[in-house]
Amino acid sequence: MADRFDFAGRTVIVTGGASGIGRAACVKFGQSGANIVVSDLKIQDAQAVATVINEFGGTAIAIESDVRHADSVENLVKQTVERFGRLDVFVANAGIALAKSLEDTSSAEFDRVLDTNLKGIFWGAKFALPYMKAQGGGAFVVTASKVGLVAQLDSPIYCASKGGAVLLTKALALDYAKYNIRVNCVCPGIVDTPLLEDFFQQLPDPAATRAAFSTAQPLGRLATSEECADAILYLASDAASFVTGVALPVDGGFTAQ
Ligand code: NAI
């Protein structure tokens, strides 16, 4: 039952916790003894994840939050601290995909991707880090992407949002190191989640693209959500106590090429 990390007595928020990588992280944090707040736009799916964790003996609650809106994220942090009395880890994971060229992307789509994938991290940091500062420390982990490190064809706005996420991570790591707060990001490659399927469905031949993406990874396959969640738990854990400002690829070797 227990995972390889120990988060007993610690409180963890995961945004986008109802699905994919975020869901896997919630379950693993739950298995590691954390008080886990499963947060998502989709409250019923978040509640289902919390139920799974509570049923195996963990401690989880679900809180509805839209990372695009300051008041929603502020309320998420406030409710968490009211319920559990502290906040040790914030995982800014919520994100959406956009597989569109520059010329096909509307202003509304640009705003939606940047508001979710970049501004959502800003709000998480803005409201979580002051609590951690007052508490004497904490860990903030961002789910960025390998496309925040190297660009990919036909998704310039998604790449821009993830490039911003990587540099926001590094800048916050510098600013908050003096408060014993570590800020890191994982940079997943291609992970088999509902978001990936949504991304494929935006392209002309989803099945062919899935096959091509798999063989393009040096390890020859897509990652699982659990493999990305393991990296998130590592960066949040005491095992990474001297690790901050890192963008950790979890990409099967893709960015080593
Ligand atoms: P997913 O679609 O399975 O899960 C994302 C979750 O975020 C969903 O439950 C969704 O409801 C939630 N969400 C979306 N907008 C939100 C908002 N405004 N406020 C709160 N919650 C919101 O996706 P997946 O694949 O697990 O993605 C998680 C993160 O990993 C994202 O940031 C994504 O960009 C990133 N990522 C995913 C990769 C992949 O291949 N699946 C590769 C690299 C990065």
Side-chain angles (χ1 to χ4, degrees), residues 16 19-21 40 65-67 93 95 143-144 158 162 188-189 191 193-195:
S19 176
I21 298 166
D40 207 284
S65 176
D66 184 336
V67 300
N93 166 80
T143 307
Y158 184 68
K162 294 300 184 178
V191 193
T193 68
L195 175 141

Side-chain angles (χ1 to χ4, degrees), residues 10 26 28-29 39 43 55 72 92 94 98 128 147 149 163 165 185 223 226:
R10 299 198 189 171
C26 287
K28 283 178 179 283
F29 277 117
S39 178
I43 187 60
E55 280 177 358
S72 185
L98 184 70
V147 306
L149 302 172
C185 64
E226 286 71 23

Side-chain angles (χ1 to χ4, degrees), residues 15 94 127 132 186 249:
T15 68
F127 297 114
M132 294 180 186
V186 291

Side-chain angles (χ1 to χ4, degrees), residues 11-30 34-42 46 49 53 60-65 67 73 76-77 80 84 87-95 124 128 132 139-143 229 232-233 236:
T11 300
V12 178
I13 295 174
V14 179
T15 68
S19 176
I21 298 166
R23 183 188 194 285
C26 287
V27 171
K28 283 178 179 283
F29 277 117
N35 301 318
I36 176 85
V37 177
V38 185
S39 178
D40 207 284
L41 267 181
K42 296 178 183 164
V49 177
I53 295 167
I61 59 168
I63 297 179
E64 185 173 355
S65 176
V67 300
V73 181
L76 164 66
V77 172
T80 299
F84 292 116
L87 175 59
D88 301 282
V89 176
F90 190 104
V91 182
N93 166 80
M132 294 180 186
F140 192 89
V141 183
V142 171
T143 307
I232 291 171
L233 266 80

